[in-house]
Amino acid sequence: MLGTYLGRGVAAGLLAGLAAGVFAYFFGEPHVDRALALESGNAFNQVVDRPTQRLGLVVAVALYGASVGAVFGLTFASLRERMAAPDDWSRSLRLSAALFAGLFFLPFLKYPADPPGTGDPSDIGFRTVVYLVTVAVCAGAVFVAWNVARTLREGGTGTPARQALVGAGLVAVLAAFFFAMPPATSPAGFPGDVLWDFRMSAVGTQAVLWAGIGAVFGALCERTNRKGTA
Amino acid sequence: MYRALGRPNLWLLPALALVLLMIFAVLFDNGALLAPLLGEAAGKTNYLHEFFHDGRHLLGVPGH
Ligand SMILES: [Zn+2]
């Protein structure tokens, strides 16, 4: 059964990753090109030409999709019995929303995606470690929040009180954590419109990816469930 | 999960290792993976970084 869920996760992730890669190709690449044009004065290691890098973008998002799809499938398999949602379709969508928030969107609030030409290459190792710590803490916080909410529900706490409490707790914990972490790179002097458009396309890419994983995975589960009961 | 259904899923650890390796190759590698093949040149050419470059920026990992 674990293998079945893993397979569904990889399939859903690959499919959603391809869709998100195509989205990024059309809606993200133009802003990468604008950023690179601004940067043209810098000596930049060009061993791969631009058309190949654009193809590499679609391949990168598809492979990333397949990888997080595998993580999605294994997480779904181990949490399924404990999720309150009434069917696999709803469970799948809720898990994909939780992973979108924990693995991407909450870290993005502190360390947003940056276009080429804004980061300092000399401290990329440090910034990478800081980013990974942030992803781990945000994903962990979402998981703990879900567990606390489950405990409160089983203890009989009403829905409004439970959701307000867990929501406020999550905000307070993450606010303190973000405050304690080093500041994000300042894209000093970088044009604000290019930065905004680039970041919106980055959020859009991840939204397409995670919505796609949730929908395809949920549909695959429901299809098998229907066959089982027919 | 590791022992779901009572028998150990022996393929689970290699599968997880493969997933981590793939994420590393796409998002973070800067020459280490190709070094056994290309030697010194792997760090300079940095093929994986350059090929996945736009994806790294748009997927939100720290870059240049
Ligand atoms: Zn770059």
Side-chain angles (χ1 to χ4, degrees):
Chain A
M1 211 50 214
L2 194 55
T4 310
Y5 284 123
L6 177 67
R8 282 177 196 161
V10 173
L14 194 60
L15 209 65
L18 273 174
V22 170
F23 176 94
Y25 184 90
F26 286 107
F27 296 101
E29 270 304 329
H31 312 307
V32 174
D33 283 332
R34 284 158 83 198
L36 286 174
L38 289 164
E39 201 199 6
S40 58
N42 293 3
F44 185 57
N45 170 14
Q46 276 290 9
V47 294
V48 174
D49 61 14
R50 288 296 297 145
T52 312
Q53 282 187 325
R54 290 194 192 99
L55 173 72
L57 165 72
V58 181
V59 177
V61 180
L63 289 182
Y64 176 75
S67 310
V68 294
V71 174
F72 182 95
L74 293 176
T75 311
F76 188 91
S78 51
L79 301 184
R80 181 176 182 273
E81 300 299 318
R82 283 178 275 163
M83 291 179 79
D87 50 61
D88 280 345
W89 170 259
S90 316
R91 288 189 195 105
S92 182
L93 287 187
R94 285 190 200 180
L95 181 61
S96 68
L99 289 180
F100 168 78
L103 295 178
F104 172 72
F105 193 68
L106 293 173
F108 177 91
L109 294 178
K110 174 69 180 177
Y111 300 111
D114 275 329
T118 50
D120 174 4
S122 69
D123 66 349
I124 183 165
F126 174 71
R127 284 185 290 126
T128 300
V129 171
V130 164
Y131 185 73
L132 287 176
V133 168
T134 306
V135 169
V137 168
C138 289
V142 169
F143 182 68
V144 170
W146 172 70
N147 268 303
V148 171
R150 214 160 49 90
T151 308
L152 289 177
R153 188 180 64 236
E154 280 159 11
T157 313
T159 305
R162 186 179 74 235
Q163 291 181 345
L165 206 66
V166 171
L170 187 62
V171 168
V173 166
L174 287 181
F177 172 68
F178 286 167
F179 183 76
M181 292 297 279
T185 321
S186 157
F190 195 88
D193 57 337
V194 182
L195 192 62
W196 174 263
D197 290 344
F198 173 86
R199 285 177 177 169
M200 285 305 102
S201 68
V203 173
T205 301
Q206 294 272 358
V208 170
L209 174 67
W210 288 104
I213 290 180
V216 174
F217 189 93
L220 288 174
C221 290
E222 291 297 340
R223 198 184 60 159
T224 317
N225 294 348
R226 267 202 313 278
K227 273 188 196 150
T229 53
Chain B
M1 175 160 99
Y2 189 61
R3 291 185 62 94
L5 300 179
R7 63 196 152 82
N9 288 296
L10 291 176
W11 48 266
L12 187 58
L13 285 184
L16 277 178
L18 192 67
V19 166
L20 287 180
L21 182 70
M22 187 130 90
I23 291 178
F24 179 77
V26 173
L27 295 184
F28 302 109
D29 178 70
N30 279 316
L33 287 180
L34 293 182
L37 261 128
L38 304 177
E40 288 277 295
K44 267 201 206 78
T45 49
N46 213 345
Y47 281 117
L48 289 179
H49 177 107
E50 292 301 323
F51 184 63
F52 293 131
H53 174 265
D54 294 13
R56 291 182 182 190
H57 277 287
L58 274 165
L59 288 170
V61 298
H64 88 282

